Amino acid sequence: MRAWKAVLLIDLALIIGVGWGYAFWGLREGRLERELAEARAAAASGIERQWRVEGVVRAIFPELGVIVLTHGEIPGYMPAMTMGFRVASPKIHEAVSVGDAVRFTLQGVLPNVAVTTIEKIK
Amino acid sequence: MRVARRLVPAGLAVLALWPAAALAHAVLVKSVPAQRAALVESPPRVELWFNERLEPAYSKALVTNEAGTQVDLRDVAVSPEDSRRLAVSLPPLAPGRYTVSFRVLSVDGHVIESKLTFTVKDRR
Amino acid sequence: MAIRYTDRVYALGLAARWLHLASSVLLVGAAAMIVIAGRSDRATALHWERRVLASAWGWALAALASGLVVIGAQTALFEGRAGAAFEPRAIERVLLETQAGHVWLVRAGFLAILAAFLSLRVSVERRADWRAARGEAVLLGVAALLPLAAAGHAAAVEPDTARAIASDGLHVLAAGIWVGGLLPLALLLKTAATEAGADARPYAVLAARRFSRAALVMIVLLAATGTVLAIIHVGSVAGLVGTSYGRLLLSKLALLALALAFAALNRSVLLGRLGGDGPTVGRPAMRRLSSFVVVEAILALAILIIVAAMNVTPPARHEPPVWPFTIRLSFAALEGRADEATRALIGSQIAVVGLVALITGLAMRAWRLPLAAVALAALGAGVGLALPPLTIDAYPTTYLRPSVPYQAGAIAAGAVLYQTNCAGCHGPRGAGDGPDGRGLPRPPADLRAPHTAQHTAGDLFWWISHGIPESGMPGFVSRLGEEQCWELINYLRALSAGYAARGMGPTIERDRRWLVAPDFTFSVGPTPPHALKDYRGRNVLVVLYALPGARARMSQLAQREGTLAMLGVEVIAVPINADPDAIRRLGPDPRVMFPVVTEGAETIVAAYRLFAVAPHVELLVDRQGYVRAITRGTGEATDIDALVAQIQQLNAEKIAAEAAPEEHVH
């Protein structure tokens, strides 16, 4: 066989091999990422979700039905911050006062979520 | 020939051991909880940050109590967003002293093995 | 004395790595040398070409075989068990799941293809065929060599991983073409110098000239990429002379200098003599060049041993350097000593004149010797005059980096250690006025003084652990662990910085950042801890307050929090009495929404009180983490517009390109 033909064949095989490998991995990676994003979007929309979060009571507005909490991360919703939340019923915040360390349940379809239970930690 | 047959596996076995001399490569940059931290609340997880990217398949951490029992939730993983971060979740911990032992492999093929401790304080 | 077991193991492992590296490099060089020499139809040249190709094939097999040993050893390391080196499952996992494994697979693939290609019997009668076949061998060899860079130290460099890998790749490639080409060249010269090889003599001369040109380019490339890599992996003089990696690099450079001396001799003297033919000029020169090239190759292969060792040695940047000298040079020595500074300045100018004279002398033909002598004398005198004022005592730990970061927790722990171990002599406030220090040969140092700028954290570490015998200071190495020493040093830095911070008032000084805000972590109730560092990019007002005195100010801050937030300021309130019930104490009205520290307040107060002592303290930390203004008061409500004006000034500053403050003492 002529050498340049052999070299051409080898190079072609290498290019196809490397290209196919790259495309395969690249495509797979891309597909996985897309699926992950879709799953996240599905999880975030239309479905009622619930979180158990810990925090501190910073203020209570009985007349507005709002309680302000410094809280830890709420996965998939918001990072740790100080934030006002609607309470599901006026009774809920009666058990706690400003400065209490609390564990609370946040429930609802984003972005309409409310505190449904709240209890003091010790 | 017989000697050679015995020598080759022995030589290979010896070879297999040598890189142990090259430990301590990636460096722990930061941890939450910090080394020797005394916490009032049981931490939800232990997170370790290194100065080099880690190989997920060979990077492990486990949390043990004073008795040496593993207490973490056995879900240790390198973060997919930041491959320099290793995290493991914890159940609510009783007050006491805990040890985080880790052994990680950085992408340049070096292993680091170390541990750190933190304490969960009794709440008055 | 018996060699220790681990040493033998280390040596064997090193041998495998070296063999792998050397065969990969020689392979590329052999293939490249054929292309550099070019095509010839002389019998001797063809015979040489066949031998070189056969050797390349051999190197490919050697690289594959030693590669197996290397990957086995890596598996054992990754798995943490010696036995794993022989388990196909374990090796498979390394190959498929780690970057080193992927790189190994790619390289082994190229090596196997190359070996197969070299054993193909193809006709290279025509020029196009010859070019294709020989070019392909080089290409495959380079493809097998280059990925090495992606599995070495360069792969873990951050940021600029790509730059590091590219430099490393170019470095090994240049080394491959230079080092690997030497042995085939020597063979060609030796064959051509014999009686029977006379037909290939012009070809050999041409090949030697072409290789010499190519090698020169490669050596320049090696020097450039090597410099980049040294800066990346070593980065400091202390790292170069004080770590195993740095010392390996130094020995590599020494060997390289020797190899380059031979290369220069070969190029400048022997290469020129090849031209003349005949038994007296051309052939002896050719034989001598051949043996000198072999010496150059042996030196280069010895360098590869060091390279293999460097591959398994942590880069100097990650290692604590041990300073081998008792002095070091620093401009800090001139601080406040004008006459010494003048002397150093004059000395340096004389040295520069000497250097210029030396270069001129070397460039000129006439007057060379006397000029060089005068120049050397001036250079020596200048250096002798300039250097002594710049010297500072140094210790093995001088360039040691603290293992404990500059954080409030460490400072607070150091403060406790200070009171029990140091206050007796150095005084409760560090003024050097402790009662136990009176009878000592030298009075204890005033630790608040700014002279700490002359001393590195490593100097302090040495004094604390080993003492200063001539002044009567004992060593504390037995009483304090390493970590405690560093905590103490962090405290001393904060103490000295705090002393300097006495002059800092409520108005900021434009673009003057010098007081690093020690990082701290804090929690608000049961929420996970935050760190001051998380707020980089925002301004932070750290408020150390005490009720009831500061109630008015806290109410004011609470009411104006919206304004402050809009200006990019976060408020962190720290109760001086570290009350875990602080939020309740502040009460519901007005609502305090900014973080009130309920966990971690003690350490924050302990550290930040070193900067300012008052019933109510506010520290304004800028976006880069420097304290820029300190307000000391009693907690009354004051004009908030004054604060706003300061913040606006901070926001108007350009964020300097310089890095954020180091987390460690220097």
Side-chain angles (χ1 to χ4, degrees):
Chain A
M1 187 163 51
R2 289 280 300 275
W4 69 267
K5 285 184 187 161
V7 167
L8 199 67
L9 277 178
I10 293 173
D11 285 350
L12 267 179
L14 277 177
I15 289 167
I16 291 170
V18 170
W20 177 80
Y22 184 77
F24 178 74
W25 288 106
L27 283 180
R28 209 170 77 136
E29 194 105 317
R31 199 175 59 232
L32 284 177
E33 257 167 37
R34 246 194 336 274
E35 276 171 15
L36 195 68
E38 276 167 18
R40 275 195 188 141
S45 69
I47 299 160
E48 179 164 295
R49 301 179 70 189
Q50 187 181 326
W51 295 271
R52 293 282 288 162
V53 194
E54 295 182 341
V56 194
V57 180
R58 302 303 296 273
I60 301 168
F61 303 94
E63 65 278 13
L64 297 174
V66 166
I67 183 166
V68 179
L69 295 154
T70 298
H71 59 79
E73 190 195 346
I74 306 175
Y77 185 23
M78 63 172 72
M81 61 171 73
T82 303
M83 173 84 193
F85 294 98
R86 229 157 30 79
V87 285
S89 81
K91 276 202 184 124
I92 286 170
H93 53 64
E94 280 169 12
V96 294
S97 52
V98 170
D100 284 345
V102 295
R103 187 172 288 124
F104 61 98
T105 311
L106 201 60
Q107 200 174 331
V109 179
L110 289 179
N112 296 314
V113 292
V115 175
T116 52
T117 68
I118 189 163
E119 75 259 16
K120 275 203 241 187
I121 315 175
K122 270 177 259 184
Chain B
M1 206 48 215
R2 274 179 54 204
V3 178
R5 218 174 287 160
R6 234 179 266 167
L7 271 181
V8 168
L12 284 178
V14 167
L15 270 182
L17 285 170
W18 66 270
L23 288 182
H25 205 248
V27 182
L28 180 69
V29 178
K30 171 180 135 176
S31 69
V32 172
Q35 156 76 321
R36 295 198 294 152
L39 310 165
V40 179
E41 292 288 334
S42 167
R45 71 186 73 85
V46 173
E47 287 176 287
L48 306 169
W49 280 266
F50 294 86
N51 67 339
E52 292 178 352
R53 284 177 295 129
L54 305 177
E55 292 284 7
Y58 292 94
S59 297
K60 298 280 170 269
L62 62 94
V63 183
T64 50
N65 61 15
E66 274 157 280
T69 319
Q70 187 174 356
V71 297
D72 60 79
L73 297 176
R74 294 166 200 260
D75 62 346
V76 61
V78 173
S79 156
E81 288 102 43
D82 178 5
S83 56
R84 283 174 292 182
R85 190 180 80 194
L86 188 70
V88 60
S89 310
L90 294 173
L93 297 176
R97 200 176 144 84
Y98 295 88
T99 305
V100 184
S101 318
F102 54 88
R103 183 181 197 276
V104 299
L105 174 67
S106 58
V107 285
D108 60 348
H110 292 267
V111 173
I112 176 176
E113 218 171 340
S114 186
K115 50 184 63 175
L116 60 94
T117 59
F118 66 90
T119 315
V120 176
K121 284 194 284 192
D122 219 340
R123 297 198 97 204
R124 289 161 282 274
Chain C
M1 205 178 84
I3 303 169
R4 281 188 305 132
Y5 175 70
T6 48
D7 290 346
R8 258 181 299 170
V9 167
Y10 182 77
L12 270 167
L14 213 56
R17 267 194 186 246
W18 173 70
L19 189 59
H20 186 63
L21 187 66
S23 44
S24 307
V25 156
L26 291 172
L27 168 62
V28 170
M33 185 60 212
I34 294 175
V35 174
I36 290 169
R39 191 159 167 256
S40 167
D41 48 7
R42 303 293 170 91
T44 310
L46 287 175
H47 180 65
W48 168 77
E49 192 181 316
R50 270 196 303 278
R51 281 183 69 181
V52 173
L53 275 180
S55 76
W57 184 75
W59 293 131
L61 292 189
L64 274 171
S66 53
L68 281 176
V69 180
V70 169
I71 197 70
Q74 278 201 310
T75 306
L77 168 71
F78 294 178
E79 292 275 342
R81 307 175 280 122
F86 308 103
E87 292 170 17
R89 280 263 173 90
I91 293 178
E92 186 190 320
R93 189 156 162 246
V94 169
L95 289 179
L96 295 181
E97 293 188 24
T98 69
Q99 188 168 328
H102 296 162
V103 167
W104 191 92
L105 279 176
V106 169
R107 297 191 52 237
F110 279 122
L111 283 173
I113 294 171
L114 177 57
F117 177 71
L118 287 179
S119 55
L120 274 185
R121 297 195 174 268
V122 287
S123 151
V124 289
E125 299 279 305
R126 302 186 202 190
R127 181 180 283 268
D129 288 341
W130 186 89
R131 281 187 179 162
R134 301 300 175 251
E136 183 73 359
V138 177
L139 197 71
L140 287 171
V142 170
L145 182 65
L146 274 187
L148 256 185
H153 290 314
V157 169
E158 287 197 27
D160 292 338
T161 316
R163 191 192 62 174
I165 292 182
S167 308
D168 205 14
L170 277 178
H171 199 71
V172 285
L173 179 61
I177 292 174
W178 173 45
V179 176
L182 290 171
L183 285 179
L185 176 66
L187 180 68
L188 178 60
L189 289 169
K190 192 170 153 239
T191 321
T194 57
E195 207 62 63
D199 61 330
R201 236 166 264 163
Y203 176 69
V205 173
L206 188 69
R209 292 211 173 119
R210 283 186 178 166
F211 175 77
S212 178
R213 267 200 302 276
L216 191 66
V217 174
M218 290 307 137
I219 285 167
V220 170
L221 195 60
L222 275 176
T225 52
T227 310
V228 171
L229 290 168
I231 291 170
I232 291 173
H233 292 313
V234 179
S236 69
V237 178
L240 191 62
V241 297
T243 64
S244 352
Y245 191 89
R247 287 175 193 162
L248 282 172
L249 178 57
L250 281 179
S251 29
K252 182 183 169 187
L253 289 176
L255 277 180
L256 181 70
L258 211 56
L260 287 184
F262 268 95
L265 185 71
N266 292 344
R267 187 178 156 79
S268 62
V269 180
L270 293 175
L271 203 60
R273 293 198 196 144
L274 291 183
D277 198 11
T280 51
V281 192
R283 272 167 59 193
M286 207 173 259
R287 264 200 301 277
R288 191 169 313 147
L289 181 58
S290 167
S291 44
F292 273 32
V293 167
V294 168
V295 172
E296 198 181 326
I298 289 170
L299 284 170
L301 288 174
I303 290 176
L304 290 187
I305 298 180
I306 299 177
V307 172
M310 285 169 83
N311 279 339
V312 296
T313 308
R317 254 191 214 285
H318 297 322
E319 285 294 283
V322 178
W323 186 247
F325 311 114
T326 56
I327 53 161
R328 65 191 172 95
L329 300 175
S330 168
F331 287 115
L334 301 177
E335 212 126 300
R337 292 158 70 194
D339 49 335
E340 299 282 275
T342 317
R343 184 180 153 186
L345 198 68
I346 294 170
S348 68
Q349 310 235 308
I350 296 176
V352 168
V353 170
L355 197 64
V356 171
L358 190 64
I359 293 168
T360 325
L362 289 180
M364 273 170 34
R365 299 223 166 237
W367 294 91
R368 183 181 280 185
L369 266 183
L371 201 58
V374 171
L376 280 177
L379 196 61
V383 168
L385 199 61
L387 290 192
L390 292 174
T391 55
I392 298 181
D393 284 346
Y395 310 93
T397 62
T398 286
Y399 290 101
L400 204 57
R401 285 175 285 261
S403 56
V404 176
Y406 188 53
Q407 284 177 353
I411 296 168
V416 176
L417 292 169
Y418 178 85
Q419 291 306 333
T420 46
N421 293 292
C422 321
C425 294
H426 288 283
R429 301 261 171 277
D433 57 354
D436 303 342
R438 272 176 212 141
L440 294 177
R442 258 200 256 155
D446 180 349
L447 299 171
R448 305 166 308 177
H451 68 76
T452 39
Q454 272 192 25
H455 306 300
T456 65
D459 286 342
L460 294 175
F461 185 83
W462 183 263
W463 290 325
I464 292 170
S465 48
H466 292 78
I468 307 173
E470 61 273 25
S471 74
M473 171 158 166
F476 289 84
V477 72
S478 55
R479 239 187 291 173
L480 303 174
E482 191 190 322
E483 207 168 312
Q484 289 183 312
C485 278
W486 287 122
E487 285 169 349
L488 202 47
I489 290 164
N490 277 313
Y491 169 72
L492 293 180
R493 178 184 177 196
L495 184 76
S496 156
Y499 196 68
R502 285 171 314 158
M504 188 181 278
T507 17
I508 70 160
E509 280 180 76
R510 197 173 171 77
D511 291 323
R512 284 208 55 208
R513 307 176 184 86
W514 56 273
L515 185 59
V516 175
D519 193 27
F520 55 78
T521 53
F522 65 94
S523 299
V524 180
T527 59
H530 283 273
L532 175 65
K533 213 168 59 175
D534 300 340
Y535 291 82
R536 286 276 160 81
R538 309 266 295 162
N539 302 299
V540 179
L541 188 69
V542 179
V543 181
L544 308 183
Y545 74 96
L547 293 181
R551 183 165 294 282
R553 179 61 170 175
M554 295 305 282
S555 301
Q556 189 187 23
L557 286 175
Q559 278 156 358
R560 301 300 294 272
E561 201 211 346
T563 317
L564 295 176
M566 250 165 24
L567 288 165
V569 183
E570 302 287 340
V571 178
I572 299 174
V574 187
I576 290 174
N577 64 359
D579 180 4
D581 236 6
I583 295 175
R584 203 190 309 278
R585 291 278 145 73
L586 280 168
D589 192 49
R591 291 177 300 280
V592 178
M593 297 303 188
F594 46 74
V596 175
V597 176
T598 59
E599 192 176 319
E602 287 159 55
T603 52
I604 301 172
V605 171
Y608 279 79
R609 286 279 226 162
L610 292 171
F611 298 161
V613 184
H616 180 88
V617 178
E618 292 177 10
L619 301 105
L620 188 56
V621 180
D622 71 8
R623 289 167 289 176
Q624 283 169 288
Y626 291 91
V627 177
R628 300 296 300 277
I630 302 177
T631 315
R632 302 163 181 82
T634 53
E636 277 131 23
T638 53
D639 186 9
I640 205 96
D641 292 338
L643 179 61
V644 168
Q646 298 305 312
I647 293 161
Q648 279 168 336
Q649 213 175 324
L650 276 188
N651 288 342
E653 280 180 1
K654 270 203 209 106
I655 290 197
E658 79 209 39
E662 277 288 333
E663 284 171 43
H664 293 283
V665 187
H666 282 278

